[in-house]
Amino acid sequence: MDVARRLSAELHRPVAGLSALPSQRLEAEELTPAFIAMTRARLGVPPGCALIVSFSPPSHLTALEETLWAVHLLQHWGVPVQWHIAAACEPGVQPFIQHMLDRLHLSGMVICHGDAPAPDTIRQYLIAADVGLQLSKVAFGRFAGGLVDCIAAGMPSVANAELAASADAPQGAVLPVSDMLSSLEVALALRRTIEAGPIGDRAERLRAYAGERTASAYTQSLLSHLARAR
C-alpha cells in the first residue's frame, strides 16, 4: 500500500480547475422537506431511519465487507440506518451479501439491487439519502461519478481520501477516511455525518455547485488547459 501511495502521488495529479460534471442535476423544489419525505417513502425507508446510499457495484474493490461491518457497528451503537446499494449486483456477490447479513444480523438494513437501477431511481436516491458513501480499494486512478452526483445534490458524503481528491470536493462536502479503509473509521465517519445532518441549506448548496459545474465552464477550462499544453 505504501508503494501504491507513492505511485499515486507521482502519477495521479489532478488538473486544477478541470472538474467532472454530475450525471444528474436536481431542482431546488425536489429538496423541500415534504418532497424528500415523499421520496423516502417511495424507496421504503422507515421514518427516523438514516439512509446511506452507494452508487458503485458491491465488490471487494468497493469495500463491501468493510462497509457491512460498519453498518453492524452502527446497529450496535443504536444508530438506525439502512444502506442502499444503488448499482447492479453481480449474481456471484449476492450469496456473500446474504451470508454476511445473516452472520451480522442485518436483516432489513441493507438493500441491494439485482440490476442497475433506472435513472429515475438514482434521482430518488440523490433526493432522499442522508449520506452518500463511496469507497475504493484501488490505490490510485479511480474516479467515483456517484460521489460527484452526491456533491452536486448537496448531500453530505463519506469517501476515502483518494476518491474525495479525484472528485475535487468543495470544503465540507465530503468527510474523508483513510485509504486503508477500516470498518471502525468508516462507521465513525458515517455516524458523525448522520448526527451532524446537512451542512446548511441543501438547495442553496445545490445552486452554488451547479453554477460552478456546467458544461460551458468545463469546455472553456478544457480548452484553456489544452492551449497551455501546446
Side-chain angles (χ1 to χ4, degrees), residues 2 4 11 28 30 36 44 50 55 76 109 116 125 137 140 144 163 166 178 183 198:
D2 289 338
L11 300 179
E30 295 176 295
I36 291 175
F55 293 106
H76 178 71
M109 296 183 66
Y125 277 116
K137 289 187 176 181
F140 62 90
L163 286 185
S166 73
S178 168
S183 294

Side-chain angles (χ1 to χ4, degrees), residues 94-164:
Q94 291 175 340
F96 172 76
I97 293 177
Q98 189 58 54
H99 166 73
M100 291 296 294
L101 296 183
D102 294 339
R103 177 185 175 188
L104 300 178
H105 307 288
L106 297 178
S107 176
M109 296 183 66
V110 178
I111 307 297
C112 184
H113 293 261
D115 299 321
D120 284 349
T121 303
I122 297 295
R123 192 176 191 87
Q124 289 179 354
Y125 277 116
L126 290 171
I127 294 167
D130 297 284
V131 186
L133 177 65
Q134 296 293 148
L135 302 174
S136 172
K137 289 187 176 181
V138 178
F140 62 90
R142 189 172 178 90
F143 174 77
L147 180 58
V148 172
D149 286 341
C150 289
I151 297 170
M155 183 196 308
S157 298
V158 172
N160 55 294
E162 180 69 24
L163 286 185

Side-chain angles (χ1 to χ4, degrees), residues 16-19 216-226 228:
L18 193 59
S19 302
S216 175
Y218 181 89
T219 302
Q220 291 178 11
S221 180
L222 177 60
L223 291 175
S224 176
H225 282 291
L226 290 175
R228 288 199 298 268

